[in-house]
Amino acid sequence: MSRPFHVVVAFLWLVSVADFVSAREKVGLVLSGGGARGFAHVAVLEALEANRVPVDYIAGTSMGAVVGALYASGLSADAVRQKLLAVDWNATLQDVTERDERSFRNKSFEGRNFLGLDLGVGPDGLKLPLAALRGQKLALALNELTLETATVNQFDQLPIPFRAMATDLATGDPVALAEGSLATALRASMAVPVVFSPVELDGRLYVDGGVANNLPIDVARDMGADRVIVVDTSSLRYTTNELTSVVTVVDQLTNLLTRRNTEAQVETLTETDLLIEIFPDSITTSDFHRAEEVLAIGRKSIAALPDLFSGFQVSTDAYVAWRDARQAQVLPPTLAFVEVISDAPRTSSQTIANRLTIRPGQALDNERLKSDLGQIYALETIDQVEVSVVERDEQVGLSLETREKSWGPDYLDLGFNLEDSLDGNASYNLHGVVRATNINPLGGEWRSEVTLGDKTRITSELYQPVNYGSNWFASAIVGFIREDRALYEEGVITALYSTETREYGFDAGYSLDTRGEFRVGFRQSDIQNDLNLGTDSLSSTVDDSRYFIRAGYDTLDSFGFPTEGIRVLSEFSIYDAKLGATKQYEGVTLDLLYPFYHSGRTTLVGQGYAGYLFETDVVDVTPRYSLGGFTRLTGYSPDEISGRHAGLISLIGYQRLNEQSVFPIDQPLFIGFSLEAGNVFQEREAIRWGNTLSGGSVFVGADTAIGPGYLSIGRTEGGRQSVTLSIGRPFAERN
């Protein structure tokens, strides 16, 4: 792999230039797969235009299919380059639903730190996805790239007839896709086995065309090409010493799968054909951030042989006529209808249709379509959405065919939280949730959760929208919580209780989709406090039954390290004797997180928390408020300071250390600080700034695949210090 590039040319003149112009042979362009190395294909397109080489047919595989499809759609080489470089390929090739596309309800469960394994569960046990990534971001990007040809369903009708190579997963046979949605065909051609989910078309599953035919020369000839220009960007094989990472191993396996069929196709070339091999040194299939570098290598390799295309050139007039004919642009159509076709037995077409903002009478708008598709994927039950523009009764409309996850519709989610003071005092919780989604046509969900560790929690909730697409909902919940609770005095534990809570309740409310929700309801709660150690100061039984009004608003762009948006949570509770409450009183809480400054890699966040009881004679522990722990008066133990009223303000700052991730997936690293002031008060009269405590910390953090993690050193104004490792529970979380 020492050569930066290698170019092999094999062609002979058969006729004079004059004869070639008057009776030109049809030229086919064949573009191989190769992942990020496929950006070199753009350099070939630029050279074809510079040398006046018309192309009559295009066949491509994987990234070669993407480049070829754009050129076949009538775009110039420069327009193809601009479109491809505008895509954030690293984000596209990940499978994470953007936080601003997730429902507020799903955001509210992030503190359980679910790992995103997305396991299916059913009577036959656990079911796994067909690949590591569903490719939803890739599908969105391909829909955007091919918007100009959204009305074309037969690829022979493109300005240049086109074929995308795929592999039938059941038979292993190569398949040249020639009709349907161009974006879906490209997605199938790029579906690397195990990495991306197969694409289902007409009841068949398709994966990356490189598995069966990475260099479809035969397909171009079958289309009608007399001569072919073939571009191979398949990498050279790695040596034993070069196989040093997961990336190179996967790359090597891909090479081994594709190289044999590639060589078989190359052997079919004749003396009239042109073979171009561009092998960028050290560029792996996943190095999409090096697109400009790959393009430069391609240009350099082509420039090394200035007469490379001389046998394929036509006159200026002939080329201009060909170029003008193929570059006729198709305007985005005005939609006469919008339809949703769903094969999902538990995700109704109406539920999906209500997520759409595209309406009949509007021109097809790519940004609106992209947003709508994001909303559909945010349901987290849909695996694929095939978008196509169809014509019926001389009217053009938009069709969206959705397919539910094959391993659903019931799922198992796992997660954990860890907080360790590194002095032998550690707490942990393991979480498991079973979600039965779309249990009825209205989109109801049954969610059951088990938490084990320092806190045992068993809850089950039935969540039910009241109508198709309605923002109004109702829910019923039942739960059991058992936890150990320590009471402190001047930093020393004076009592240790085992507390058990049994409750049930009913809520009704209104959802603001991704941004927030408002709900009212009641909880019937019975609490048992059992003294394990120390002086007994709590009632053994407490009834905490209450009515409540709860409102939340959350537009943060990240759970662990937000840079923009705001999060506000508030609740007003009435502990009512009519429900059985031990005491009659009211309480209110307010929780705020606001990133008010972000520039470059630096972010400053304001945090506030307040809890207040309107009655002064409440003695029992519940519902008192507490502070202590990371960014909640760092230096104090978690929940060390408790009382009837609480207040806290914090300034948190952090800076991202790495512009690009040092891991195969994006895992940003941070260094930061916190400054905190607050206290918990027993009496209203004590609520004064002069009675506040202060603390602060410095920390390093990472937004990892298993949740946000922090290693902090904290100190209080009294000189107490702490070193804490926390995983899975960010400073934004309070549960």
Side-chain angles (χ1 to χ4, degrees):
M1 301 208 40
S2 60
R3 296 172 295 171
F5 59 84
H6 180 60
V7 178
V8 178
V9 182
F11 71 94
L12 296 173
W13 284 96
L14 293 180
V15 293
S16 67
V17 173
D19 291 336
F20 178 75
V21 172
S22 61
R24 183 174 65 84
E25 293 180 300
K26 300 296 184 181
V27 176
L29 178 63
V30 180
L31 305 177
S32 76
R37 294 185 293 271
F39 285 106
H41 292 314
V42 179
V44 176
L45 299 182
E46 294 172 343
L48 292 174
E49 293 184 347
N51 288 275
R52 305 191 309 277
V53 178
V55 175
D56 301 289
Y57 308 100
I58 299 177
T61 300
S62 194
M63 196 63 185
V66 175
V67 175
L70 295 180
Y71 197 64
S73 299
L75 300 177
S76 67
D78 185 63
V80 172
R81 177 187 62 82
Q82 293 182 33
K83 276 207 167 197
L84 292 176
L85 293 180
V87 176
D88 185 348
W89 289 98
N90 284 332
T92 295
L93 298 175
Q94 296 183 38
D95 217 20
V96 178
T97 302
E98 297 297 331
R99 197 170 188 274
D100 62 0
E101 297 174 346
R102 302 187 66 197
S103 69
F104 178 85
R105 171 174 165 81
N106 288 336
K107 291 178 186 178
S108 67
F109 298 121
E110 286 178 306
R112 308 287 192 271
N113 188 31
F114 296 115
L115 305 180
L117 298 177
D118 203 28
L119 301 174
V121 61
D124 299 328
L126 295 179
K127 296 181 289 184
L128 299 176
L130 297 178
L133 303 174
R134 302 199 308 274
Q136 63 186 42
K137 296 292 184 183
L138 178 60
L140 291 174
L142 294 174
N143 274 297
E144 184 173 4
L145 287 172
T146 58
L147 181 63
E148 285 85 356
T149 55
T151 58
V152 178
N153 293 312
Q154 299 291 327
F155 302 166
D156 282 341
Q157 297 175 358
L158 293 169
I160 300 176
F162 171 75
R163 298 291 185 272
M165 291 306 303
T167 301
D168 189 318
L169 185 58
T171 66
D173 296 331
V175 179
L177 300 177
E179 61 184 9
S181 164
L182 183 58
T184 302
L186 297 180
R187 165 73 177 82
S189 187
M190 297 184 71
V192 179
V194 185
V195 178
F196 287 108
S197 296
V199 174
E200 182 180 349
L201 294 171
D202 299 324
R204 309 293 295 180
L205 292 177
Y206 295 99
V207 296
D208 194 319
V211 175
N213 192 351
N214 191 49
L215 203 62
I217 297 171
D218 57 338
V219 174
R221 296 197 194 280
D222 290 342
M223 295 174 70
D226 300 305
R227 312 170 72 192
V228 291
I229 299 173
V230 181
V231 188
D232 183 12
T233 62
S234 304
S235 72
L236 298 174
R237 296 181 184 178
Y238 293 91
T239 66
T240 300
N241 293 333
E242 292 170 324
L243 295 170
T244 58
S245 69
V246 172
V247 175
T248 56
V249 170
V250 172
D251 217 17
Q252 181 80 327
L253 291 174
T254 303
N255 295 337
L256 295 174
L257 281 172
T258 62
R259 200 64 208 167
R260 181 171 298 179
N261 66 67
T262 296
E263 292 172 353
Q265 289 286 323
V266 170
E267 291 177 356
T268 68
L269 293 174
T270 71
E271 293 180 340
T272 66
D273 301 318
L274 172 63
L275 172 65
I276 305 172
E277 294 178 324
I278 306 176
F279 298 139
D281 186 29
S282 76
I283 304 293
T284 70
T285 57
S286 59
D287 284 339
F288 287 92
H289 62 284
R290 302 173 67 182
E292 293 277 14
E293 184 179 347
V294 177
L295 184 56
I297 291 173
R299 288 167 174 167
K300 185 179 179 181
S301 63
I302 299 298
L305 294 172
D307 297 327
L308 187 62
F309 300 101
S310 58
F312 292 85
Q313 291 175 315
V314 300
S315 68
T316 299
D317 290 343
Y319 184 77
V320 169
W322 172 87
R323 182 194 64 192
D324 291 345
R326 68 172 284 275
Q327 288 187 337
Q329 297 295 310
V330 179
L331 296 175
T334 298
L335 303 175
F337 60 89
V338 177
E339 66 177 17
V340 175
I341 303 171
S342 175
D343 76 340
R346 285 169 52 177
T347 306
S348 70
S349 299
Q350 188 65 49
T351 297
I352 296 170
N354 285 324
R355 293 251 165 175
L356 302 177
T357 60
I358 293 180
R359 297 287 186 266
Q362 299 175 345
L364 180 59
D365 181 81
N366 186 61
E367 287 302 316
R368 186 183 295 271
L369 175 61
K370 183 179 179 181
S371 176
D372 286 353
L373 291 177
Q375 290 296 313
I376 293 172
Y377 283 120
L379 290 169
E380 302 186 5
T381 61
I382 300 300
D383 185 27
Q384 296 178 22
V385 182
E386 182 178 348
V387 180
S388 56
V389 177
V390 297
E391 186 173 351
R392 295 187 187 134
D393 300 326
E394 299 183 350
Q395 292 185 323
V396 175
L398 183 68
S399 177
L400 293 92
E401 186 172 352
T402 64
R403 294 183 177 88
E404 201 171 47
K405 295 178 181 177
S406 61
W407 60 99
D410 303 327
Y411 305 94
L412 171 65
D413 299 322
L414 302 172
F416 74 96
N417 304 124
L418 169 68
E419 189 165 357
D420 193 337
S421 62
L422 303 184
D423 60 1
N425 185 17
S427 64
Y428 68 91
N429 288 290
L430 304 176
H431 309 283
V433 170
V434 175
R435 295 182 293 117
T437 65
N438 297 311
I439 59 176
N440 53 50
L442 300 180
E445 179 181 86
W446 185 11
R447 178 187 178 93
S448 299
E449 179 177 347
V450 176
T451 297
L452 300 175
D454 291 313
K455 177 184 291 187
T456 299
R457 173 172 24 203
I458 304 173
T459 62
S460 188
E461 180 195 24
L462 178 63
Y463 180 89
Q464 182 61 63
V466 300
N467 205 345
Y468 286 112
S470 174
N471 290 76
W472 293 98
F473 64 87
S475 72
I477 188 170
V478 61
F480 169 83
I481 302 173
R482 185 187 186 282
E483 60 185 326
D484 293 331
R485 174 145 191 173
L487 300 184
Y488 293 81
E489 186 173 330
E490 297 182 357
V492 178
I493 296 177
T494 60
L496 185 63
Y497 286 86
S498 294
T499 299
E500 294 184 358
T501 303
R502 294 171 174 82
E503 67 177 13
Y504 65 89
F506 177 83
D507 309 343
Y510 184 83
S511 171
L512 299 174
D513 296 321
T514 64
R515 295 167 294 156
E517 73 172 25
F518 173 85
R519 64 171 67 198
V520 298
F522 76 90
R523 291 288 184 272
Q524 186 76 43
S525 301
D526 295 312
I527 301 172
Q528 179 73 39
N529 298 311
D530 294 325
L531 181 67
N532 294 330
L533 179 69
T535 304
D536 195 359
S537 61
L538 302 178
S539 299
S540 60
T541 59
V542 178
D543 191 314
D544 251 355
S545 300
R546 66 195 186 277
Y547 300 104
F548 65 87
I549 301 172
R550 184 182 302 159
Y553 189 83
D554 186 350
T555 58
L556 297 178
D557 61 342
S558 169
F559 181 56
F561 295 88
T563 61
E564 62 182 11
I566 190 172
R567 178 184 178 192
V568 183
L569 305 174
S570 65
E571 181 174 314
F572 175 74
S573 300
I574 301 174
Y575 297 82
D576 195 339
K578 296 179 181 179
L579 283 178
T582 305
K583 297 278 187 179
Q584 183 88 22
Y585 60 99
E586 297 82 35
V588 62
T589 60
L590 177 65
D591 198 341
L592 170 69
L593 190 76
Y594 176 46
F596 62 90
Y597 174 82
H598 178 72
S599 178
R601 302 182 193 178
T602 303
T603 305
L604 295 177
V605 178
Q607 179 178 251
Y609 173 74
Y612 185 80
L613 297 184
F614 291 90
E615 301 294 331
T616 60
D617 61 345
V618 179
V619 179
D620 297 304
V621 66
T622 307
R624 292 198 296 177
Y625 308 106
S626 62
L627 295 175
F630 180 54
T631 74
R632 300 190 67 187
L633 288 180
T634 310
Y636 292 95
S637 299
D639 302 319
E640 177 179 335
I641 313 168
S642 60
R644 299 189 184 105
H645 317 289
L648 173 74
I649 57 172
S650 305
L651 173 65
I652 303 167
Y654 41 86
Q655 181 168 353
R656 179 165 178 169
L657 298 177
N658 57 328
E659 182 175 2
Q660 293 288 337
S661 175
V662 297
F663 302 98
I665 58 177
D666 190 31
Q667 296 183 334
L669 305 176
F670 299 87
I671 185 171
F673 72 91
S674 68
L675 299 174
E676 310 140 36
N679 206 346
V680 178
F681 310 94
Q682 292 294 342
E683 307 296 336
R684 298 176 188 173
E685 293 77 13
I687 304 175
R688 298 192 303 271
W689 180 257
N691 290 337
T692 58
L693 305 173
S694 61
S697 70
V698 293
F699 62 87
V700 294
D703 207 356
T704 74
I706 59 173
Y710 313 86
L711 179 62
S712 66
I713 300 175
R715 183 180 177 90
T716 69
E717 64 177 338
R720 292 179 56 179
Q721 298 185 48
S722 65
V723 180
T724 303
L725 172 65
S726 177
I727 298 176
R729 179 165 292 170
F731 49 79
E733 178 66 19
R734 297 204 168 269
N735 293 328

